[in-house]
Amino acid sequence: MNDIQGRDLEQTPLNALHRERGATMVPVAGYEMPGRYQGIIAEHLHTRENAALFDVSHMGQVILRGEDVAAALETLVPGDFQELPVGKTRYTVLTNDRGGIIDDLMVTHGGDHLFVVLNAACKEKDLAHFEAHIGGRCKIEVLSDRALLALQGPAAVDVLARLAPPCRHMLFMTGATLTLADVPCFVIRSGYTGEDGFEISVPAEEAERLARLLLDEPEVRPAGFGARDSLRLEAGFCLYGNDIDETTTPVEAALSWAIGKRRRAEGGFPGAAVIVRQLAEGVERKRVGLRAEGKIPARAHAPITESDGAEGGPVIGEVTSGGYGPTVGGPVAMGYVKAERARADTPVSLMVRGKALAARVAKLPFVEHRYFKR
Amino acid sequence: MAIVKYTKEHEWIRVEDGVGVVGITEYAQEQLGDIVYVELPEVGAGMTQGAEAAVVESVKAASEVYAPVGGEVTEVNQNLADNPGTVNTDAMGEGWFFKMKIADTGEVARLMDGVDYQEYVESLS
């Protein structure tokens, strides 16, 4: 299988298992990944009701190690990491000098190191960025011999607890080493679906055995990238490359919550001048949720206009992700609109095949997050 | 007697007495996955062979459906408005899209028959 540029696709350690389970394989960021098994809607709904296993081994797993590794990382991101307690996970973004987003990532304090999970499509770029800017201050270890499994859904904890009872005590956005079927794995209670669940970093050679054990549990079905995308869209999460990129700042992307309080005051990250100014003075455009009336989904790049008339009014933005939300039971989208049009319930139009679909700015997420918090 | 013909774009047309019923093939629905919306042409619309006639929205993407032959739309499948998934469950039957009065039966004759289409689909995998 090749990607659209005709390059050979890489495979994850679970490739054979996906095929055995009847997956339709699709190219994802240079990897051959399962698009779907039974069908996107069934997999999506099963994840929200029960538990689903996703292979996300294409993502980059990196360990940063060093005397002042948290301070070093802070020179590249606007998040607080010097204050991050051991065992806690935090979402952050790598910013460029214009305040744009180079990648979004999850960072867990592993005691004597930081464990970082990067987007597959950004791995090489991010590693070069780390090497160039903090390579002298910390050791960058790429865990290319590990797979990453995401067990997601309300039943995920019951399933995982059969292999490792202590996982019940982990809170949302914490990480710990758990022994699963005699294999030490690094497990983070988090995910990309809005549901409770775990991401499991497992040695590549044990990945298939662990995946089979999890899939043998009655609650668990495999799910592919189609469902992963519809789940994250309903959960209001950004997809790098669609909803955020090097031209969008975290303030525009409605990710200001990920900018630490101390960091706002101190700066010291790329693009701090732009971002701090935007926090104080506001932005011209803002990422919002969009709910259209009717059944027609508006997809990425559909223009967003003022809500007057069948041809739509003046353009005020663009959809960046859109499709059918199986839990919502209708079309859902997100995109950027002029800041003065960003308030929830503002009427807008989404232009699809030359027709204006009546829509409203909607609060994100579309489906409430259901995490395990204290 | 009805004959069924196929296009390379995976539409089928079943022709009886100069009227064609058009839909997408089993292969097409399988490739698309769960269908959540079908945009149908207007009754009375005239179209030439290969013109964009309908749009199928799956969870992931929108795909065009082309007129397998030229003609005029005489009826559309209203049931698809509320039950677009019928295209998944019965692509060749209840999941039909529209009926058309065929302008030139010669265009029908030049489409693939079932055996040729099957070979064509096998050549794609």
Side-chain angles (χ1 to χ4, degrees), chain B residues 56-84:
Chain B
V56 192
E57 299 267 9
S58 70
V59 178
K60 278 221 74 85
S63 313
E64 277 118 31
V65 174
Y66 303 99
V69 298
E72 185 187 315
V73 176
T74 56
E75 191 182 340
V76 298
N77 187 354
Q78 301 289 358
N79 173 50
L80 296 185
D82 290 325
N83 302 297

Side-chain angles (χ1 to χ4, degrees), chain B residues 32-44:
Chain B
L32 291 168
D34 298 323
I35 289 163
V36 297
Y37 180 77
V38 180
E39 190 165 284
L40 294 166
E42 294 195 1
V43 172

